[in-house]
């Protein structure tokens, strides 16, 4: 099994912070482009890049528009972005991240949702018992998916479980989540519906009347987004906002040597002292549900 290591640069809780990933040989890689989608194709086990650990608030994400796509905190109007603690939730209620080598093409209108993609790797909510770390690469099996419509764009939310979780063998499709974790699926819909409301935005909408689609449907979505990524990395897509610098796809026009990748990382300041976070991040936020 491939081992990946993370390297922090800049200062945590600041605009300078970046987390780069290295492979087992110590070569800097892109968590978007260089980690294989499949950890075990024969068993439909996927690699997941963890961006946000459960119970935390910082909106960490793969920087799709930066070389080597380090993980950084999202920024809104010049400020670091944190999600509110929307009662009864505390921060993110799962380990949140993305499947590498997938891309929701913003020029493609999904036939099932009638909305275009959101220009990001496909998102994953991992529901296991372990609280993971930002930059951790875990192996997951997919149980189903929720189709969030975020500001008019299709934003798939895969539901998955770490294959090393003690209860992983009990979860094989989305119906198992409803049976074994009662209320969790409903809480997930509630979270995604309301998480932008504290910022003054309206509640998010969903395709399929906010009903989950099963594992088979989710696998088809993954395959589709993987094909879009293949076109992107080989420059066959007209999309140019995404940075496709990588150190493994040797036939890609965006392939970079290990030495060139190291020079990219060196341009970011070394890791410094973490900055403090406002006490407001830990406040509860209440509203009247519609």
């Amino acid at each position: 099994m491939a081992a990946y290591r993370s390297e922090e640069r800049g200062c945590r809780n600041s605009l300078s912070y970046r987390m780069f990933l290295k492979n087992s040989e110590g070569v800097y890689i892109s968590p978007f482009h260089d980690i294989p989608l499949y950890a075990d194709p024969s068993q439909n086990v996927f690699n997941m890049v963890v961006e946000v650990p459960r119970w935390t608030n910082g909106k960490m994400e793969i920087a799709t528009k930066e070389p080597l796509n380090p993980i950084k905190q999202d920024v809104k109007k010049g400020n670091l972005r944190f999600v509110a603690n929307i009662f009864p939730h505390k921060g993110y209620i799962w380990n949140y991240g993305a499947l590498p080598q997938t891309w929701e093409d913003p020029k493609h209108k999904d036939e099932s949702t009638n909305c275009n993609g959101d220009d990001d790797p496909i998102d994953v909510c991992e529901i296991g018992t372990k609280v993971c770390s930002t930059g951790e690469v875990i192996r997951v099996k997919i149980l189903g998916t929720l189709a969030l419509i975020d500001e008019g764009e299709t934003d798939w939310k895969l539901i998955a479980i770490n294959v090393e979780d003690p209860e992983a063998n009990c979860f094989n499709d989305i119906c198992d989540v409803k049976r074994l974790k009662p209320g969790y699926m409903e809480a997930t819909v509630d979270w995604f519906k309301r998480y932008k409301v504290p910022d003054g935005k309206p509640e998010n909408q969903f395709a399929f009347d906010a009903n989950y689609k099963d594992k088979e449907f989710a696998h088809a979505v993954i395959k589709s987004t993987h094909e879009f990524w293949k076109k992107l990395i080989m420059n066959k897509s007209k999309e140019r906002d995404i940075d496709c610098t990588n150190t493994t796809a040797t036939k890609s026009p965006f392939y970079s040597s290990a030495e060139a990748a190291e020079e990219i990382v060196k341009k970011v300041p070394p890791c410094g002292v973490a900055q403090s976070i406002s006490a407001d991040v830990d406040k509860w936020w209440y509203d009247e549900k519609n």
Side-chain angles (χ1 to χ4, degrees), residues 87-141:
F87 183 82
H89 313 303
K90 169 64 178 82
Y92 286 74
I93 63 174
W94 349 255
N95 294 303
Y96 190 70
L99 293 187
Q101 298 187 347
T102 63
W103 180 53
E104 296 187 61
D105 187 349
K107 291 183 170 57
H108 172 76
K109 180 174 287 189
D110 189 283
E111 292 182 359
S112 61
T113 66
N114 203 35
C115 292
N116 290 23
D118 73 344
D119 202 21
D120 282 325
I122 196 166
D123 297 321
V124 189
C125 303
E126 193 278 320
I127 66 170
T129 54
K130 176 187 174 183
V131 176
C132 296
S133 302
T134 298
E136 192 173 349
V137 180
I138 61 175
R139 297 177 302 139
V140 300
K141 57 181 178 179

Side-chain angles (χ1 to χ4, degrees), residues 10-248:
C11 300
R12 276 182 177 257
N13 310 320
S14 78
L15 297 174
S16 70
Y17 181 78
R18 298 292 185 275
M19 177 182 282
F20 291 91
L21 266 62
K22 290 181 175 181
N23 63 18
S24 58
E25 297 175 351
V27 176
Y28 290 104
I29 62 167
S30 161
F32 188 179
H33 306 302
D34 290 319
I35 297 173
L37 170 61
Y38 288 94
D40 185 348
S42 65
Q43 299 297 317
N44 274 323
V45 175
F46 299 86
N47 285 311
M48 171 187 171
V49 179
V50 177
E51 297 165 313
V52 187
R54 183 190 290 113
W55 312 137
T56 63
N57 300 75
K59 194 175 186 305
M60 309 301 294
E61 61 183 18
I62 293 171
T64 59
K65 296 175 174 59
E66 296 184 14
L68 291 180
N69 315 116
I71 297 174
K72 69 177 185 68
Q73 191 163 350
D74 190 22
V75 176
K76 182 179 180 181
K77 296 182 179 179
N79 297 313
L80 297 178
R81 190 173 172 194
F82 296 88
V83 298
N85 299 307
I86 303 178
F87 183 82
H89 313 303
K90 169 64 178 82
Y92 286 74
I93 63 174
W94 349 255
N95 294 303
Y96 190 70
L99 293 187
Q101 298 187 347
T102 63
W103 180 53
E104 296 187 61
D105 187 349
K107 291 183 170 57
H108 172 76
K109 180 174 287 189
D110 189 283
E111 292 182 359
S112 61
T113 66
N114 203 35
C115 292
N116 290 23
D118 73 344
D119 202 21
D120 282 325
I122 196 166
D123 297 321
V124 189
C125 303
E126 193 278 320
I127 66 170
T129 54
K130 176 187 174 183
V131 176
C132 296
S133 302
T134 298
E136 192 173 349
V137 180
I138 61 175
R139 297 177 302 139
V140 300
K141 57 181 178 179
I142 304 300
L143 307 174
T145 189
L146 184 66
L148 177 68
I149 305 301
D150 190 349
E151 298 183 17
E153 297 176 334
T154 302
D155 189 3
W156 295 105
K157 305 297 182 184
L158 299 173
I159 308 301
I161 190 166
N162 190 334
V163 296
E164 296 182 3
D165 190 272
E167 299 178 339
N169 289 338
C170 300
F171 291 86
N172 296 295
D173 212 325
I174 197 65
C175 57
D176 296 322
V177 183
K178 186 172 184 178
R179 177 172 56 89
L180 298 172
K181 290 183 182 286
Y184 202 9
M185 293 169 63
E186 292 82 358
T188 295
V189 170
D190 180 63
W191 195 97
F192 281 119
K193 182 179 181 179
R194 299 193 293 144
Y195 83 101
K196 288 187 177 182
V197 174
D199 296 328
K201 293 189 175 182
E203 292 182 346
N204 279 322
Q205 304 299 311
F206 302 87
F208 315 119
D209 294 323
N211 291 315
Y212 289 82
K213 306 300 283 186
D214 63 13
K215 174 177 66 176
E216 183 178 355
F217 186 99
H219 283 167
V221 171
I222 294 169
K223 288 179 180 178
S224 174
T225 58
H226 185 47
E227 291 302 315
F228 293 137
W229 171 83
K230 287 180 180 178
K231 294 179 181 179
L232 178 72
I233 199 71
M234 295 307 296
N235 203 21
K236 293 180 181 178
S237 169
K238 294 181 180 180
E239 181 62 41
R240 291 294 179 272
D241 288 340
I242 302 295
D243 193 295
C244 292
T245 302
N246 69 87
T247 57
T248 58

